[in-house]
Amino acid sequence: MDDFLAARSQMALSLGFHIIFSCIGMVMPFFMAVSHFQWLRSGDVAYKNLTKAWSKGVAIFFATGAVSGTVLSFELGLLWPKFMEHAGPIFGMPFSLEGTAFFIEAIALGFFLYGWGRFHPWFHWFTGVVVGISGLASGILVVAANAWMNSPAGFDFVNGQYLNIDPIRAMFNDAWLSQAIHMSLAAFAATGFAVAGVHALMILKRRNVQFHTRAFQIAALFAAVAAVLQPLSGDFSAKDVARRQPAKLAAMEAHFYTEKRASLVLGGLPDEQGKKVDYAIKIPGMLSFLAHGNFEQEVTGLDQIPVADQPPVLVPHVAFQLMVGLGMAMVALSILYFIAIWRKKRWLRSEWLLKLFVAATPAGFLAVEAGWTVTEVGRQPWIINGVMRTADAVTPMPGIAYSFYLFSAVYVSLSVVVIFLLYRQIKMVPELYDQPAQLAAA
């Protein structure tokens, strides 16, 4: 493995690992706050116990996310020094503000974890809300930095120099809004389905049904709302990408030739040498409509992009298809859940619906990983779109392959530890909260 591939692989591994904890850190505090609110409003002790159980999970994910996020910040400087040399002064503001949001989140989480019986109940609840708001803000600020890489703004690039820097304009670049909305909804859907799936499994196993039913209801509702809204966000994002990054859109859709009434490609395997897609279903005019709102509009193909500036096609296309397919499956399950709430309440007690949620447990996070693959691979060969190539930003330091192997071992180890801690936490729930006397004592 050469150093350039090793650097990209290490960054991909780190981002892929960290994004899971980022999503959970953005969303779980809101679940916790809703459960806490229900306890304060109704006095139902099951909600209090649920809040305490979820707060322990939040603490685990916060600690792991803090570690992986710190590693990422070091990797930006170690693996991509040329990028940070030029880009740091331009898009440093969202990173600085993200650090502030992170500290607020840490302080608020400390207050919440140690505030039981020490603060006024509603102030204690408010500290949990602050954890959620600051976590969500932290995620949006990081997305703003990534959006700047896709849509660089806030500077003039003259003779290789970055002049007239405007960090506010850089942070609020043309891509930040669509990416922030899309990523936030993805985080709620992914975390919601994962949490709902775990609690659905516990219900099916008849373990502390009341406790897990409360948890399932909160997580499933968040997941369903986010999943139904996500296609609207996806349409907004797709139109934005079509305008700003036609090469990425062409790679996502395996659209090799510029044409009017462009067809939407469903599935298939791109043949980059033959400039075609095998085993695909094509819907005439639909790509033109999705990209431009007009069935007859011309869509730029890869034939209009210089070969040296073309992204790979296979990986973004397959990842995009996977993301959309999983997204539509989650939308279908969400619609079933809404029907169950409004019209078919007996479905809520049926095993088949719970089993569908169990099956959907990993769907959201698989879709998130696929979406970030589209975002990052589809931007290649640029690290700053149209300004700096990824190959020009990599460190000249040798031996990056060994660093990649080391970090891979570290992340695998962290994953095992987190899975063990969560498994033990889930197993402990029935032991802690099953008996009515123990519920009252809590």
Side-chain angles (χ1 to χ4, degrees):
M1 180 183 291
D2 63 56
D3 288 336
F4 179 53
L5 179 58
R8 290 187 62 191
S9 300
Q10 182 173 325
M11 202 69 194
L13 176 68
S14 301
L15 282 168
F17 183 88
H18 179 68
I19 196 172
I20 294 175
F21 299 100
S22 296
C23 289
I24 296 171
M26 290 166 64
V27 173
M28 276 298 295
F30 288 102
F31 295 0
M32 184 178 73
V34 170
S35 176
H36 196 180
F37 177 82
Q38 291 290 80
W39 147 245
L40 294 175
R41 186 182 65 85
S42 67
D44 186 339
V45 182
Y47 283 117
K48 179 181 180 181
N49 294 328
L50 176 59
T51 304
K52 287 188 172 183
W54 272 349
S55 68
K56 293 176 182 178
V58 168
I60 292 170
F61 285 113
F62 178 83
T64 311
V67 172
S68 59
T70 302
V71 170
L72 270 174
S73 65
F74 282 115
E75 285 181 340
L76 282 171
L78 291 172
L79 299 178
W80 313 104
K82 291 293 184 183
F83 168 68
M84 292 304 295
E85 175 187 350
H86 297 291
I90 305 172
F91 80 157
M93 179 172 285
F95 276 130
S96 299
L97 293 175
E98 190 274 337
T100 302
F102 173 81
F103 284 123
I104 294 172
E105 183 182 8
I107 294 168
L109 181 60
F111 281 176
F112 186 83
L113 292 175
Y114 297 101
W116 289 99
R118 295 178 176 87
F119 295 140
H120 186 281
W122 285 106
F123 177 76
H124 185 216
W125 170 79
F126 176 72
T127 63
V129 174
V130 172
V131 174
I133 293 173
S134 55
L136 183 62
S138 179
I140 289 174
L141 287 164
V142 171
V143 169
N146 179 266
W148 179 84
M149 297 165 68
N150 290 318
S151 181
F155 66 97
D156 294 327
F157 188 61
V158 182
N159 297 325
Q161 299 295 314
Y162 297 79
L163 307 173
N164 302 322
I165 293 173
D166 182 350
I168 299 296
R169 185 163 168 258
M171 184 167 68
F172 296 107
N173 56 78
D174 290 344
W176 86 270
L177 182 60
S178 62
Q179 283 196 212
I181 294 173
H182 198 61
M183 185 63 229
S184 298
L185 288 173
F188 275 95
T191 306
F193 276 108
V195 174
V198 170
H199 290 288
L201 180 62
M202 295 298 104
I203 295 170
L204 288 170
K205 291 185 175 183
R206 301 292 186 268
R207 293 182 181 176
N208 201 2
V209 173
Q210 183 189 39
F211 176 92
H212 290 293
T213 298
R214 299 282 194 280
F216 172 81
Q217 289 170 342
I218 294 172
L221 186 59
F222 270 99
V225 172
V228 169
L229 293 176
Q230 189 68 307
L232 301 176
S233 166
D235 181 67
F236 180 31
S237 295
K239 287 179 169 59
D240 184 59
V241 169
R243 179 175 57 85
R244 291 182 300 95
Q245 295 177 283
K248 177 184 286 188
L249 179 71
M252 289 161 49
E253 297 289 351
H255 186 60
F256 290 103
Y257 298 103
T258 302
E259 60 182 354
K260 295 182 178 180
R261 196 170 172 76
S263 298
L264 178 69
V265 175
L266 300 179
L269 293 175
D271 177 359
E272 296 185 51
Q273 298 297 322
K275 308 294 182 186
K276 61 179 182 177
V277 185
D278 297 320
Y279 317 114
I281 299 172
K282 296 186 177 182
I283 305 177
M286 186 57 68
L287 180 58
S288 294
F289 177 76
L290 293 175
H292 302 291
N294 184 328
F295 286 101
E296 302 298 328
Q297 184 75 30
E298 182 176 89
V299 178
T300 301
L302 289 170
D303 60 332
Q304 296 296 310
I305 310 297
V307 174
D309 296 340
Q310 291 183 10
V313 177
L314 178 62
V315 172
H317 178 72
V318 172
F320 182 68
Q321 297 292 313
L322 177 63
M323 179 187 70
V324 172
L326 290 170
M328 290 298 100
M330 288 186 284
V331 168
L333 181 52
S334 300
I335 292 172
L336 282 176
Y337 185 65
F338 286 134
I339 293 173
I341 292 174
W342 291 330
R343 295 288 186 182
K344 304 285 186 179
K345 292 192 182 296
R346 66 180 183 278
W347 289 4
L348 297 174
R349 299 183 296 275
S350 63
E351 288 193 0
W352 64 266
L353 184 64
L354 292 173
K355 287 179 179 178
L356 286 176
F357 271 95
V358 172
T361 300
F365 285 116
L366 290 174
V368 167
E369 297 286 4
W372 273 98
T373 299
V374 172
T375 298
E376 297 303 298
V377 179
R379 191 180 60 245
Q380 300 306 312
W382 306 100
I383 192 169
I384 306 175
N385 188 47
V387 176
M388 177 183 286
R389 293 180 182 273
T390 309
D392 296 332
V394 72
T395 178
M397 182 178 66
I400 299 299
Y402 299 106
S403 173
F404 168 63
Y405 300 141
L406 175 62
F407 275 84
S408 297
V410 169
Y411 283 127
V412 169
S413 301
L414 273 174
S415 300
V416 171
V417 171
V418 171
I419 291 171
F420 169 74
L421 290 173
L422 291 175
Y423 177 75
R424 190 177 70 169
Q425 178 65 23
I426 293 169
K427 290 265 297 183
M428 286 173 60
V429 166
E431 298 172 8
L432 290 175
Y433 305 132
D434 255 341
Q435 302 301 321
Q438 291 173 323
L439 280 170

